[in-house]
Amino acid sequence: MGLTKQYLRYAASAVFGVIGSQKANIAFVTLRGGEKGRYVAVGACEHVFIWDIRKAEKVLILEGKKHEVTYLCPSPDGVHIAVGYEDGGVRIFNLLNGESNISFSGHKSAVSVIRYDALGARLVTGSRDTDVIVWDIINECGLYRLKGHKDAITQILFLESKNLLITSSKDSFVKWWDLDTQHCFKTMVGHRTEVWGMVLLNQESRLLTGSADSELRAWDIQYIEEGKEVGEPQEKKVRTLLENEEEDEEGLDEEPEERILSCKKAGSVLREARDRVVSLVTDAKAKVLACHGLDATLEVFTVLSEKEVQKKMDRKLKKAKKKAKSQEGEEDGPEPVVERKLSDEIQKLANIKASSKIRSMDCLLVPNGEIKLALLLQNNTVETYALKTTEKNPTGTKTSRLTLGGHRTDVRTLAFSSDNIAILSASGETVKVWNRSTLQVIRTMGCEYALCSLFVPGDRQIILGTKLYVNIFDFDLCVLMQRGIVTGGADKTVKFWDFELIKDQDSGKSKRLTVKHTRTLQLDEDVLCVRYSPDQRLLAVSLLDCTVKIFYTDTLKVNHKHSIYALIGTGSADRNVKIWGLDFGDCHRSMFAHDDSVMFLQFVPKTHLFFTAGKDRKIKQWDADKFEHIQTLEGHHREVWCLAISPNGDHIVSSSHDKSLRLWERTREPIILEEEKEMEREAEFEESLAKGDEPVVPGETKGEAEPAGKKTIETVKAAERIMEAVELYREESEKLEEHSAACKAAGKELPPPKMNPILVAFGNISPSRYVLEVIKKVRSSELEVSLLVLPFPYVSDLLKLFNGYVQQGLEVELVCRCLFFLLRVHFGQITSNQMLLSVIDELRTNTISKVREIRDVLGFNSAGLQFLQREIESKEDVMFFADATDRFEEKKRKRKKRERAVLTIT
């Protein structure tokens, strides 16, 4: 048997060069009770970066798995942050340690908005799949799915006082949901285009919406008392119905009978921008309003309180009376009336011009009256501004700018230094040199649009090829070890340059590096790429006519003679990679490499292995001798432009349209091609399995509210584990029955049957207890969907097992949750099965008694804790929990009030 060629696996090592991804928003966060407004969270491909904007450094990375981050929402207590992903998943991270223990999966496409309730116990998510899902964070499960919108969800708001939900969508509708009944009781149709954002103002009594025009529409919310319209005459209802049909109400769809609340248009606030609203945000107390469109201008408004508005109206009325009195003289005229307008309540503060187009923003109002604004720009930059509301004409002041850790435009060329330590990346405006081990920027220099680059031997200079020039950047002076470089361009020439050290005119003594043009090779087509052979005897030139010509370096003649065995690889927009032999110039093999254009190809030094990068977001490794695909490196979320391989072949760096640079590292793990192909087939099968038809609850019709869960490969595997556990329970039960029958027939006690190895591994537990352990290991958010796909014969066994668990007091809460769900789903089959009637009757009795016992224990413990709290507070004169914070804040306010009064008197 011949020797098998061994390949080593390349694995993802790090993501750098991205400050903030364009798909996600930016949000202020608080770390370990630190200063508010100091830290911001941004999406960075599949990760979340927490930046300290004061120090301009990354302080925490919340690591994702595979899919790109699309939305961020910090919790009300500031301890957690909810992260939505492109595949519809949601994960909740702890900002203290960066870990994620809670995850939800219910949407079929990217999460577009996330919102916490005031207590932080519920989470509502909206998606591009048009669904809204309410999640229970404490129980880690989905409550229900709200369906009704016809396009992507753009914003979600809680009305905490009434347990209501407001959702807006690109279908131009705003829907109001009663969460108690899970029903949409009102739909606003007052918008002609997509509703991109909305906020609540004036203590949830006003709704402000932003659409695809320059108008911010304001709607007054009035709650209707229960029973207010009871006993209304029938003819009045008919008259009201006819009036509502005739009235246009400016596009607002008024129902003939209002339920819960009424919402009428109160006016509009005009923005200076003419394009659509991208972000519409308020601070926590809704005193400041900020919005922006597709340009670089941020508009900031202040929302006056009722007292401030009343003072303003009093001043206006006083001024009107004075004016009327001066005009009419001594005659007594009618009392002047001042009309209250929306502009009296929402006033423009300032416009802030960012350095580039704004992608997302967040605002924070600090106690001293200063507004802190964080902007995520479309050129991979984060900027923060401060605005003082106490000033008469406030202006935004830029406080920080995060730019060092990334390029403003896509990186088009990469290179490794000869010692494998430094990485060069160049884009349309800058060239940066990075330390590979620390991923920190060593040098940043301005440049024109870069196309190619390399390190000069000695790694003290770099040469950069742009659209017009060849630039040399000098780190430090050194002695050269190589003759020169070769360049090719759109002028249909290949030029050869020699390195030269000349005297620096500025310093007079030191020397600097330059290049001297020595030879020119004229061609018939534009040159796309040039490459030397490892021994520099041959030069390969790629031309615009889809051909590659090989020249001798010394004579510049085309290579027609047979040379040593060598290979050359080419990639093209036809998605294929071709391997050519330099001995006869024939094509050895043409391989379908990528699902889109091949953008880059490079051989691993001193091997016949090479990597390709494509617009399909993938990097692939190939064997040019065996013409085999070795492995695929997935991670980029946009087109991959280029890559570079270190001289020792241990590292790869790649750049993409997602603004990220990714470092890949060669491990010591060998790759077996057959196993690799089998894993790819299994991944495709699992993906198709998860995308199958959604399970249907028998007897339930589709309406506005549906179950929140989604069938995934995890739920399918969890259901399989439960079925395997039930089958093991059946087998072991049969063994025990046979053993007892054998003992009875023999008239003596026989040796017990051999226990299943799985039960032994779990500590010699009983088969019924093993089933409970398997159910406990199913993630809470996936439990209902996993139980939903179980066949009914397994449900019968589970009901009998649940009865035993309840009697023993084992995991009563979990068992009751599973029991009630199975009863609801399989109600018809269970009630028609005579064999299960006795089991159901026992379950009813045992469940009620056991739940009452647990409730009594909880009530007793709660009363005991409250008693201990009162005792400790009376003894030590201290306050616990929320009362302490509230009383401290009240004392602080009173002290400041006294200090202001003293200053006024003095």
Side-chain angles (χ1 to χ4, degrees):
M1 181 177 177
L3 292 174
T4 303
K5 192 170 184 178
Q6 189 182 55
Y7 308 103
L8 296 179
R9 184 181 301 279
Y10 283 83
S13 176
V15 179
F16 63 105
V18 57
I19 296 175
S21 295
Q22 303 306 304
K23 274 204 169 183
N25 60 313
I26 187 171
F28 279 111
V29 294
T30 306
L31 292 184
R32 300 178 183 86
E35 177 186 348
K36 288 187 176 181
R38 179 172 177 176
Y39 303 98
V40 293
V42 292
C45 298
E46 67 271 23
H47 306 310
V48 176
F49 289 169
I50 310 296
W51 291 92
D52 184 341
I53 56 178
R54 180 180 296 176
K55 295 181 178 179
E57 63 181 23
K58 205 182 305 174
V59 293
L60 183 63
I61 299 177
L62 308 178
E63 294 186 358
K65 293 181 179 178
K66 180 180 178 182
H67 299 280
E68 194 171 6
V69 175
T70 57
Y71 202 85
L72 305 173
C73 181
S75 62
D77 59 4
V79 178
H80 299 88
I81 185 170
V83 183
Y85 293 91
E86 198 172 25
D87 65 335
V90 178
R91 298 176 69 192
I92 299 178
F93 288 87
N94 190 322
L95 290 174
L96 299 178
N97 52 25
E99 295 180 355
S100 171
N101 297 321
I102 302 175
S103 62
F104 302 118
S105 180
H107 292 290
K108 297 177 183 177
S109 57
V111 176
S112 56
V113 61
I114 303 175
R115 189 71 60 198
Y116 276 93
D117 68 351
L119 296 176
R122 288 180 299 176
L123 191 73
V124 182
T125 59
S127 170
R128 293 179 190 167
D129 62 6
T130 74
D131 292 347
V132 176
I133 301 180
V134 183
W135 307 92
D136 184 348
I137 297 177
I138 297 174
N139 203 24
E140 300 182 18
C141 67
L143 296 178
Y144 39 83
R145 181 192 305 264
L146 303 176
K147 301 178 74 72
H149 284 290
K150 303 299 182 185
D151 210 333
I153 308 298
T154 56
Q155 188 56 276
I156 295 174
L157 297 174
F158 266 107
L159 277 170
E160 302 294 344
S161 57
K162 298 290 183 179
N163 196 28
L164 304 178
L165 197 69
I166 314 172
T167 60
S168 65
S169 170
K170 289 171 67 175
D171 60 7
S172 78
F173 297 143
V174 174
K175 289 183 176 289
W176 301 69
W177 306 83
D178 186 348
L179 296 184
D180 294 328
T181 60
Q182 302 160 27
H183 169 66
C184 175
F185 65 90
K186 188 178 187 63
T187 300
M188 291 169 52
V189 294
H191 303 87
R192 299 289 179 246
T193 55
E194 301 95 333
V195 182
W196 290 101
M198 58 181 182
V199 291
L200 285 169
L201 305 175
N202 300 346
Q203 297 177 344
E204 299 183 349
S205 64
R206 173 162 291 160
L207 179 70
L208 198 68
T209 59
S211 186
D213 51 22
S214 60
E215 186 179 355
L216 298 178
R217 295 168 177 83
W219 313 83
D220 281 338
I221 303 171
Q222 293 182 346
Y223 298 100
I224 298 174
E225 298 176 6
E226 292 185 8
K228 184 177 181 180
E229 297 184 1
V230 174
E232 185 180 14
Q234 184 66 27
E235 59 269 20
K236 183 177 179 182
K237 292 183 179 180
V238 174
R239 187 169 62 250
T240 305
L241 176 61
L242 293 174
E243 289 173 357
N244 283 330
E245 287 179 351
E246 294 172 358
E247 290 179 358
D248 181 76
E249 288 295 334
E250 295 188 20
L252 182 63
D253 185 21
E254 291 290 348
E255 296 180 358
E257 289 185 53
E258 296 282 2
R259 282 191 62 238
I260 303 176
L261 55 83
S262 65
C263 188
K264 300 187 180 295
K265 191 171 182 182
S268 300
V269 178
L270 291 178
R271 301 186 298 121
E272 291 185 7
R274 298 299 178 188
D275 51 5
R276 75 170 180 89
V277 171
V278 175
S279 297
L280 185 62
V281 181
T282 64
D283 67 301
K285 296 184 179 179
K287 291 183 178 180
V288 176
L289 172 70
C291 67
H292 69 87
L294 296 171
D295 56 6
T297 303
L298 175 70
E299 299 181 51
V300 185
F301 301 84
T302 180
V303 182
L304 302 180
S305 63
E306 189 62 32
K307 289 183 179 179
E308 293 172 330
V309 174
Q310 194 59 45
K311 286 182 181 179
K312 188 175 181 180
M313 299 308 296
D314 291 342
R315 287 196 300 269
K316 278 191 173 183
L317 182 60
K318 188 176 180 181
K319 190 175 181 180
K321 286 181 179 180
K322 188 176 180 181
K323 185 177 181 181
K325 189 175 181 180
S326 63
Q327 288 178 353
E328 297 175 3
E330 299 296 330
E331 298 179 8
D332 293 333
E335 187 76 15
V337 178
V338 178
E339 184 182 357
R340 181 168 171 173
K341 300 179 180 178
L342 188 63
S343 58
D344 297 324
E345 303 176 28
I346 303 175
Q347 294 182 342
K348 185 74 167 287
L349 270 183
N351 282 355
I352 296 177
K353 185 74 173 177
S355 61
S356 181
K357 291 182 179 179
I358 305 172
R359 165 60 185 86
S360 174
M361 59 84 55
D362 196 14
C363 68
L364 183 70
L365 183 63
V366 293
N368 62 359
E370 186 181 56
I371 305 171
K372 292 186 176 181
L373 302 160
L375 309 182
L376 174 62
L377 307 184
Q378 290 189 3
N379 63 349
N380 196 30
T381 305
V382 171
E383 291 182 349
T384 59
Y385 292 83
L387 192 69
K388 292 185 178 180
T389 57
T390 54
E391 296 178 356
K392 188 174 182 180
N393 296 312
T395 56
T397 305
K398 187 185 293 185
T399 55
S400 64
R401 190 166 186 252
L402 302 180
T403 58
L404 188 63
H407 291 272
R408 310 285 73 74
T409 56
D410 293 358
V411 172
R412 291 289 182 166
T413 176
L414 294 164
F416 264 99
S417 62
S418 60
D419 57 3
N420 310 292
I421 293 178
I423 299 172
L424 181 151
S425 63
S427 63
E429 84 295 333
T430 55
V431 54
K432 292 178 180 287
V433 180
W434 309 76
N435 185 309
R436 180 186 54 78
S437 56
T438 63
L439 302 179
Q440 297 297 318
V441 178
I442 304 171
R443 296 281 192 279
T444 299
M445 297 157 285
C447 70
E448 295 181 2
Y449 197 102
L451 297 175
C452 54
S453 62
L454 58 86
F455 276 90
V456 174
D459 301 330
R460 299 297 181 90
Q461 292 93 7
I462 59 173
I463 297 179
L464 198 68
T466 67
K467 284 187 173 182
L468 297 176
Y469 306 104
V470 175
N471 298 329
I472 300 177
F473 294 91
D474 193 350
F475 295 152
D476 198 358
L477 294 180
C478 65
V479 179
L480 298 181
M481 298 173 62
Q482 190 171 334
R483 295 179 306 165
I485 59 172
V486 60
T487 60
D491 58 357
K492 303 180 182 179
T493 62
V494 173
K495 295 186 178 181
F496 294 81
W497 310 79
D498 281 349
F499 291 133
E500 200 174 39
L501 283 174
I502 63 172
K503 198 171 187 180
D504 193 350
Q505 299 294 333
D506 297 331
S507 62
K509 294 182 180 180
S510 61
K511 293 184 178 181
R512 62 182 177 87
L513 177 72
T514 185
V515 289
K516 180 182 179 182
H517 179 224
T518 57
R519 290 186 297 171
T520 300
L521 174 62
Q522 188 68 41
L523 297 164
D524 297 330
E525 296 288 341
D526 293 4
V527 178
L528 300 180
C529 182
V530 291
R531 278 287 187 273
Y532 268 126
S533 63
D535 58 2
Q536 295 190 2
R537 288 181 57 245
L538 301 173
L539 178 68
V541 182
S542 171
L543 302 177
L544 191 61
D545 61 358
C546 302
T547 62
V548 177
K549 292 188 176 182
I550 311 298
F551 297 89
Y552 285 109
T553 306
D554 51 358
T555 62
L556 298 185
K557 291 182 179 179
V558 179
N559 177 24
H560 293 297
K561 298 182 179 180
H562 297 175
S563 61
I564 59 171
Y565 176 66
L567 297 175
I568 185 169
T570 60
S572 171
D574 62 4
R575 311 176 191 181
N576 293 322
V577 168
K578 296 183 184 295
I579 307 299
W580 309 80
L582 292 185
D583 46 3
F584 296 100
D586 60 329
C587 179
H588 288 188
R589 184 67 64 92
S590 178
M591 299 177 291
F592 183 78
H594 291 269
D595 296 328
D596 208 330
S597 302
V598 179
M599 301 304 297
F600 206 86
L601 184 149
Q602 186 172 350
F603 276 89
V604 178
K606 301 177 183 179
T607 69
H608 282 179
L609 306 177
F610 66 93
F611 283 88
T612 58
K615 281 188 176 181
D616 59 355
R617 311 177 184 184
K618 296 177 182 178
I619 299 170
K620 294 186 178 182
Q621 186 184 16
W622 307 83
D623 187 339
D625 291 331
K626 295 186 176 182
F627 314 115
E628 286 186 321
H629 172 225
I630 300 172
Q631 67 170 327
T632 301
L633 304 179
E634 293 184 294
H636 283 292
H637 302 282
R638 298 290 182 278
E639 300 92 334
V640 183
W641 297 130
C642 62
L643 59 88
I645 304 175
S646 62
N648 60 8
D650 286 342
H651 300 91
I652 301 172
V653 63
S654 57
S655 72
S656 168
H657 186 47
D658 60 13
K659 299 291 194 301
S660 71
L661 302 176
R662 290 181 181 265
L663 189 64
W664 313 83
E665 195 172 63
R666 184 161 59 186
T667 64
R668 304 275 74 86
E669 178 188 354
I671 294 179
I672 301 174
L673 297 182
E674 289 75 14
E675 291 184 2
E676 199 75 10
K677 293 175 182 177
E678 182 66 27
M679 289 169 60
E680 288 180 5
R681 285 194 291 267
E682 286 181 4
E684 291 177 2
F685 173 74
E686 290 178 354
E687 188 176 350
S688 63
L689 189 66
K691 288 182 179 178
D693 296 334
E694 290 293 321
V696 180
V697 179
E700 285 197 2
T701 58
K702 288 191 175 183
E704 290 180 337
E706 293 183 3
K710 181 185 73 170
K711 181 183 176 184
T712 62
I713 188 61
E714 286 79 14
T715 60
V716 173
K717 288 181 177 179
E720 290 176 350
R721 288 195 297 269
I722 295 174
M723 288 190 287
E724 290 171 358
V726 173
E727 289 172 357
L728 187 147
Y729 164 75
R730 290 173 181 172
E731 294 172 2
E732 293 298 313
S733 299
E734 290 177 2
K735 285 183 183 179
L736 292 176
E737 289 177 2
E738 292 174 359
H739 176 260
S740 61
C743 291
K744 190 174 181 181
K748 62 178 180 179
E749 189 68 26
L750 298 175
K754 189 176 180 181
M755 188 174 284
N756 192 294
I758 297 178
L759 301 179
V760 175
F762 274 78
N764 295 324
I765 61 176
S766 63
S768 60
R769 190 63 183 267
Y770 171 69
V771 176
L772 181 60
E773 292 295 324
V774 171
I775 295 175
K776 282 170 60 178
K777 289 184 178 180
V778 179
R779 282 168 51 182
S780 181
S781 58
E782 300 170 353
L783 184 59
E784 278 83 3
V785 183
S786 302
L787 294 173
L788 187 59
V789 299
L790 290 178
F792 184 72
Y794 293 93
V795 174
S796 304
D797 291 324
L798 284 176
L799 292 178
K800 296 173 184 176
L801 287 168
F802 288 166
N803 189 26
Y805 299 151
V806 172
Q807 286 179 342
Q808 300 173 44
L810 299 173
E811 302 291 339
V812 177
E813 183 181 353
L814 175 64
V815 170
C816 287
R817 179 182 167 190
C818 298
L819 172 64
F820 298 151
F821 179 77
L822 291 176
L823 287 175
R824 182 167 65 87
V825 171
H826 301 281
F827 179 77
Q829 289 177 285
I830 291 173
T831 53
S832 62
N833 192 330
Q834 298 294 327
M835 302 292 293
L836 293 177
L837 288 179
S838 59
V839 178
I840 296 298
D841 188 55
E842 289 182 18
L843 274 169
R844 179 181 60 82
T845 306
N846 296 333
T847 304
I848 292 174
S849 61
K850 190 59 66 174
V851 169
R852 281 177 179 169
E853 288 180 16
I854 295 175
R855 185 183 62 185
D856 293 341
V857 171
L858 289 174
F860 180 83
N861 291 342
S862 177
L865 288 173
Q866 292 174 6
F867 173 76
L868 290 174
Q869 177 186 349
R870 289 193 298 270
E871 287 291 313
I872 295 174
E873 286 178 355
S874 62
K875 287 182 180 180
E876 301 183 7
D877 195 23
V878 295
M879 299 297 164
F880 279 174
F881 309 122
D883 295 340
T885 306
D886 294 342
R887 297 191 185 186
F888 175 76
E889 293 292 335
E890 184 65 27
K891 287 180 181 179
K892 193 175 179 181
R893 282 196 295 270
K894 288 182 179 179
R895 186 174 68 251
K896 287 186 176 181
K897 192 174 181 181
R898 286 197 303 269
E899 290 175 356
R900 282 198 298 268
V902 172
L903 290 173
T904 305
I905 294 171
T906 55

